[in-house]
Amino acid sequence: MPTLRWLTRDDDVRAARTVPYRLLEEVPELGYGDRDAGNMLIQGDNLEALKALLPYYAGQVKCIYIDPPYNTGSAFEHYDDNLEHSQWLAMMWPRLELLRELLSEDGSIWVSIDDREGHYLKVIMDEVFGRRNFIANIVWQKRTSRENRKAIGSAHDHILVYARTDAADWKTNRNLLPDSSKGYSNPDNDERGPWRSIPFSAQGYRANQMYKITTPTGVELDPPKGRCWGATEPEFLRLRDVEKRVYFPKNGAGRPRIKKFPEDDDGLVPMTWWPASDFSDNQAAKKEILALFKDDDAFDTPKPEGLIRKIVQVASNPGDIVLDSFLGSGTTAAVAQKIDRNWIGIEMGEHSTAYCVPRLKKVVDGDNIGISEAVGWEGGGGFRFYRLGPSVFAEDGSIQPDIRFPTLASHIWFAETGKPWVEPDALVPFLGQHDDQGYALLYNGILGDKSAGGGNVLTRKTLAAIRAAQADFKGPMTVYGERTALSEATLKAEKIEFKQTPYDVKARR
């Protein structure tokens, strides 16, 4: 397969492995609404944030949409959108690698891009995701007005779509796109309501499907040249006389067609041409932003809620996780919440608090922006706000000495259970139980010994301290610590799985 070469490629393709692993620290005062709704807004560099998400969400995200800087030279205030070409590729490669690891087996990633970098992006995504996993290059009409500043005005962007696994196995949701409701009518006043029709013929020759059909006007018809009828004669008679699904156009003189009603229709898959009339455009997006913020500081090229709605609906189902690591003005998170998806959004710097937080608060309160009226949005839900914490590991692989017990405990609990850890009033080595499994952490000072390594070894004494803290829980337990002094026989008898820190802390990559 062809590969793309650039100045720093050799370093860039290894970059994801060298990103320091950092913890996510919640900032409760910046969250809003129902903090247990399953939505996360993360402030920080998205490369480090994606690495931090791996222990929690690797293989769990159904739909990823990103709108990275296009490298257009337009000097965006909030993104460095004037990167040199090699720098832009260096930025994208490791992020795409981490995004790939977060996708579920049936998930997909959608990337907005323009002509300047779009074709280079296609080549590196072929390499990162695999050419077999390429689904489509969607052409979205971003504007309908004339642009006379250039020799040829730009009217479209690309949206590159890849599956996590073989694209041939990836399934899209149907009956969700604007044209999927077109073509239904009721010219014969069928009591079952509007319908559309498909030809009753098939390609090729099948002897048992080569019979004559008599139209209501008495004309005998053979199958079209080079084709056969769409089913055997007994099946045709059942469709005509029992199910009443055969329709003869041209006042009964045309070739038979089969009625398809909305409830039994397979639906229509999306096409690669997404016109502004059906999928909204940048002008609508700017109106949405101005209605939200009433200032000129918002992004110059946000995407409209109508466009993101279609992507999310095609690529996911209610309850699935949607991720946007270039969250920008917060559109993806807003749309995901309005159509009953969980979301993770990453945005760097003050923009996350100046724009994303206020916008998503308005969503929780029931805004009337974008798709709200179309989907009947009345508010609800909520989100947690996180910042990137310190790096967990020192260069020698040891855990940084300034990592607090509650921070590491939260990470381990979330990595093991997928649930947030509720810090108790008094810290103890037993973290809690989940699905009949207990979890404990022996870490600096938790047992009262304030020395750097004090109390971090699993011995009969420290095990007794854990047992004293676990109350009535009697089930199997996973214990994290620097090492264990207990024999394999003792661990088995006590139903303990020992995991060594830092080496067994999940997602140290």
Side-chain angles (χ1 to χ4, degrees), residues 61 174 235 426 471:
V61 177
R174 301 185 179 196
E235 175 64 10

Side-chain angles (χ1 to χ4, degrees), residues 103-280:
L103 271 180
S104 63
E105 286 297 300
D106 59 349
S108 59
I109 179 170
W110 304 59
V111 185
S112 284
I113 198 69
D114 69 358
D115 287 333
R116 184 180 177 91
E117 295 289 358
H119 303 84
Y120 297 99
L121 178 64
K122 172 66 167 62
V123 175
I124 64 172
M125 290 191 74
D126 277 348
E127 192 170 353
V128 173
F129 288 90
R131 290 191 68 180
R132 291 177 56 134
N133 299 343
F134 172 68
I135 297 172
N137 174 19
I138 292 172
V139 179
W140 169 58
Q141 186 184 18
K142 65 183 178 181
R143 63 185 301 160
T144 57
S145 58
R146 286 281 182 181
E147 183 184 32
N148 290 320
R149 293 174 296 173
K150 302 178 181 179
I152 299 177
S154 175
H156 74 276
D157 279 348
H158 303 273
I159 304 174
L160 297 180
V161 188
Y162 282 77
R164 179 64 178 89
T165 54
D166 197 326
D169 299 326
W170 185 76
K171 305 298 182 184
T172 180
N173 287 330
R174 301 185 179 196
N175 285 326
L176 293 170
L177 297 171
D179 61 350
S180 67
S181 61
K182 294 179 181 177
Y184 289 95
S185 62
N186 197 0
D188 62 350
N189 296 316
D190 192 307
E191 62 182 13
R192 291 167 292 186
W195 49 271
R196 67 182 184 92
S197 66
I198 60 173
F200 184 66
S201 65
Q203 189 171 2
Y205 173 86
R206 298 177 181 87
N208 63 347
Q209 293 175 214
M210 301 296 292
Y211 50 90
K212 292 185 180 294
I213 290 178
T214 303
T215 71
T217 60
V219 178
E220 287 190 342
L221 298 175
D222 291 313
K225 185 176 182 180
R227 300 176 70 84
C228 59
W229 293 124
T232 62
E233 188 169 16
E235 175 64 10
F236 168 75
L237 295 175
R238 186 187 68 82
L239 289 170
R240 186 190 68 183
D241 301 332
V242 178
E243 293 198 14
K244 309 294 185 184
R245 286 179 176 266
V246 177
Y247 170 69
F248 292 89
K250 299 180 181 179
N251 296 317
R255 295 187 182 278
R257 299 177 67 87
I258 303 300
K259 292 182 178 182
K260 299 279 284 186
F261 296 91
E263 62 270 18
D264 57 22
D265 202 336
D266 290 335
L268 298 175
V269 299
M271 302 290 282
T272 55
W273 166 238
W274 288 20
S277 58
D278 289 335
F279 296 90
S280 197

Side-chain angles (χ1 to χ4, degrees), residues 340-418:
D340 196 25
R341 273 66 166 173
N342 293 121
W343 56 264
I344 301 170
I346 305 170
E347 181 55 43
M348 61 185 179
E350 295 181 359
H351 196 69
S352 59
T353 53
Y355 291 100
C356 295
V357 169
R359 178 176 191 173
L360 295 170
K361 284 183 176 180
K362 291 178 181 179
V363 171
V364 174
D365 291 339
D367 72 19
N368 60 354
I369 303 299
I371 66 170
S372 292
E373 182 178 353
V375 301
W377 178 248
E378 296 181 352
F383 61 92
R384 293 174 181 258
F385 186 97
Y386 294 85
R387 290 193 174 109
L388 288 172
S391 177
V392 179
F393 301 102
E395 291 186 2
D396 63 0
S398 62
I399 295 176
Q400 296 280 16
D402 58 348
I403 296 293
R404 298 171 55 248
F405 178 90
T407 302
L408 188 59
S410 296
H411 165 71
I412 287 174
W413 178 264
F414 208 159
E416 290 281 2
T417 69

Side-chain angles (χ1 to χ4, degrees), residues 419-441:
K419 304 292 183 182
W421 184 62
V422 179
E423 183 177 338
D425 294 333
L427 295 177
V428 293
F430 184 70
L431 305 183
Q433 69 179 85
H434 178 75
D435 291 342
D436 298 323
Q437 177 77 21
Y439 298 94
L441 171 63

Side-chain angles (χ1 to χ4, degrees), residues 33 66 75 84 103 134 147 183 187 199 221 234 285-286 314 325 336 409-410 466:
I66 59 172
E84 293 296 329
L103 271 180
F134 172 68
E147 183 184 32
L221 298 175
K286 289 180 180 180
V314 166
S325 55
S410 296
I466 294 172

